[in-house]
Amino acid sequence: MPSRAPTSASPWWAPHVHADRRPRLLARNRIRAALRGWFEERGFVEVETAALQVSPGNETHLSAFATRAIGPDGRTSPLYLHTSPEFACKKLLAAGERRLVSLSAVYRNRERGPLHHPEFTMVEWYRAGEPYETLMRDCAALLARAAEAAGTGRLAWRGREADPFAEPERLTVAEAFAHFAGIDLLASVAPDGATDRAALHAAVAAAGIRTAPDDTWADLFSRVLVERVEPALGQGRATILCEYPVPEAALARPSPADPRVAERFELYVCGVELANGFGELTDPAEQRRRFQAEMDEKERVYGERYPLDEDFLDALALMPEASGVALGFDRLVMLATHARRIDEVIWTPVAEGGP
C-alpha cells in the first residue's frame, strides 16, 4: 500500500501539539461550567434542540450543510444542519417556556478561518416578557464570569485587549458610521424601511471606501461596517453596537422610537463580534415577507434558496413578546485564553477538506 505524503503541520492529535493546546481546552471546560451555573442561578431551563431542521435559517449570507432523510418506505426528504437553534427555541417559547438557554453545536458552510469554524458552539438564550436591554446586561455579566473561570483579568486577541469587568460602552450603528466613517447612515433609510442605494453609495465613495457598480445598499453597509467600524470596537472594554437599520435586522422588531431602526445589538470585544441579540419579531406575516426577501437575495447572489419553516411561522402567532441573543462560545474562550485562532480552543477541530 503506498504511503501517504506527510502533512505540512502536525495534526491536533499529535501528543506534543495536544500538550500545548490542553491548558486552553481545560479553560474551555471551566468557562462552560461557569456559564451553565450563571444561567441556572437565574432560573433558565437548558434545552436541547434537534440539529436537523427543515430549514437551516433564512438569512442571505448563511450557508448550510444539507442532507436527506430516508423514511421506512424509502422516500427521501431534504433536511439541513441548523445554523442556529433559534427556530426551535422560539417554538419552545410558543409552547410556554419563559427563560431558556441552549449550549449546543451549530453548523455553517463556507466559513473557516481564524474566527470561523464549520462546526462551533453557540450559547443562545431567551427571556420572555423582558426588554432586549436586559440581554445587554447579561452579556456583560458573562464576560466577567468567563474571565473569572479562565483566571484572567483581560480579554485579548492579536494585540488588542479589553477589560471583562468594565461596563461596556453603548453605541448606535448610526453613531458609529458618523464617528468612524463620516457617513449619515439613516439619511439613506426611509421610515418604511426602504433604502436609498444611490445616497449611501455617494456617501461611501466620499468617505474614500471602495465601491463597485453592482453594490447593493446592503453590500455598502457591510463594507463600511467591516472596514471602518468593527476594527475600532471593543478596545479597552466591550462595545454594544445597537439600533441596526431595519433592513439589517430580519428577525428583530422595529424600535418604537424610530421605525428606521430595529431592536438589534451586537457585542464586540477586541474588534471581534461575539454576540447578536434581538427584541424578537413576532408578526408571522412580516416575518414571512422578510424571509422571502432574504431568499430572493440569496438566490440572486448564490443561486440557491432554503425553504421556509412553516411550523416556525405558525408558532410565531403564539410566541410571547421576548428577547433573545446568540453568543459564540468558542470566540469567548479564545478571547479569555488569548488564543490566536478559534481552532486552538476546539477539542477536535473539523478536518480540512481535500485529499
Side-chain angles (χ1 to χ4, degrees), residues 102-180:
S102 167
L103 205 163
S104 60
V106 297
Y107 309 86
R108 297 188 180 182
N109 220 339
R110 297 179 183 260
E111 296 190 10
R112 188 150 200 163
L115 292 171
H116 296 89
H117 201 73
E119 178 180 342
F120 63 99
T121 299
M122 183 176 285
V123 185
E124 188 157 326
W125 68 100
Y126 292 84
R127 291 175 175 269
E130 299 185 64
Y132 89 135
E133 289 83 1
T134 303
L135 301 179
M136 299 178 188
R137 294 190 289 272
D138 289 348
C139 287
L142 292 179
L143 293 181
R145 184 66 68 98
E148 290 169 353
T152 184
R154 63 188 177 95
L155 303 176
W157 191 66
R158 298 193 171 186
R160 300 169 178 171
E161 295 188 0
D163 181 351
F165 305 104
E167 181 179 353
E169 69 169 335
R170 193 178 300 187
L171 194 64
T172 70
V173 174
E175 289 170 342
F177 269 58
H179 183 70
F180 298 114

Side-chain angles (χ1 to χ4, degrees), residues 25-352:
L25 297 173
L26 294 179
R28 175 193 178 98
N29 286 4
R30 295 195 303 273
I31 295 170
R32 181 178 58 193
L35 266 56
R36 279 194 160 120
W38 188 90
F39 284 108
E40 185 176 358
E41 291 163 10
R42 285 153 182 82
F44 282 81
V45 174
E46 183 171 349
V47 302
E48 297 176 76
T49 63
L52 290 169
Q53 298 287 330
V54 298
S55 174
N58 298 106
E59 296 181 47
T60 299
H61 300 294
L62 281 185
S63 295
F65 290 90
T67 187
R68 299 195 71 81
I70 305 174
D73 60 359
R75 294 183 182 180
T76 65
S77 58
L79 287 175
Y80 301 86
L81 289 174
H82 64 180
T83 58
S84 157
E86 181 170 7
F87 290 1
C89 286
K90 288 182 176 178
K91 291 173 187 178
L92 287 169
L93 289 174
E97 294 297 336
R98 302 292 295 176
R99 287 186 179 182
L100 61 87
V101 59
S102 167
L103 205 163
S104 60
V106 297
Y107 309 86
R108 297 188 180 182
N109 220 339
R110 297 179 183 260
E111 296 190 10
R112 188 150 200 163
L115 292 171
H116 296 89
H117 201 73
E119 178 180 342
F120 63 99
T121 299
M122 183 176 285
V123 185
E124 188 157 326
W125 68 100
Y126 292 84
R127 291 175 175 269
E130 299 185 64
Y132 89 135
E133 289 83 1
T134 303
L135 301 179
M136 299 178 188
R137 294 190 289 272
D138 289 348
C139 287
L142 292 179
L143 293 181
R145 184 66 68 98
E148 290 169 353
T152 184
R154 63 188 177 95
L155 303 176
W157 191 66
R158 298 193 171 186
R160 300 169 178 171
E161 295 188 0
D163 181 351
F165 305 104
E167 181 179 353
E169 69 169 335
R170 193 178 300 187
L171 194 64
T172 70
V173 174
E175 289 170 342
F177 269 58
H179 183 70
F180 298 114
I183 292 173
D184 182 355
L185 176 65
L186 295 183
S188 67
V189 182
D192 65 356
T195 56
D196 185 338
R197 184 263 181 199
L200 185 57
H201 181 272
V204 172
I209 300 170
R210 64 184 176 86
T211 64
D214 60 347
D215 278 339
T216 63
W217 185 95
D219 293 332
L220 295 165
F221 173 87
S222 295
R223 191 167 299 125
V224 177
L225 188 70
V226 170
E227 293 186 11
R228 295 288 180 88
V229 177
E230 288 184 333
L233 303 180
Q235 310 299 332
R237 58 174 174 156
T239 299
I240 290 172
L241 189 67
C242 59
E243 297 185 16
Y244 274 69
V246 164
E248 293 297 315
L251 289 137
R253 59 183 175 239
S255 168
D258 185 343
R260 296 175 299 173
V261 299
E263 291 188 349
R264 177 189 176 190
F265 77 89
E266 289 193 307
L267 173 71
Y268 285 86
V269 180
C270 302
V272 175
E273 185 229 320
L274 203 55
N276 187 17
F278 303 115
E280 303 294 349
L281 180 66
T282 56
D283 180 338
E286 175 61 15
Q287 187 64 85
R288 180 185 296 277
R289 185 194 68 77
R290 294 189 191 183
F291 279 168
Q292 289 173 336
E294 290 277 331
M295 291 301 92
D296 289 346
E297 180 65 5
K298 185 176 189 66
E299 190 163 43
R300 184 188 72 81
V301 176
Y302 300 107
E304 64 174 342
R305 63 193 302 134
Y306 298 139
L308 304 189
D309 184 342
E310 296 293 343
D311 206 33
F312 167 69
L313 292 171
D314 288 344
L316 277 187
L318 296 178
M319 182 178 149
E321 292 294 313
S323 298
V325 60
L327 183 147
F329 177 73
D330 313 88
R331 289 186 179 183
L332 176 60
V333 175
M334 185 182 70
L335 294 169
T337 61
H338 310 158
R340 290 182 59 82
R341 296 181 55 88
I342 196 169
D343 52 14
E344 294 177 13
V345 298
I346 294 175
W347 277 93
T348 62
V350 174
E352 297 277 5

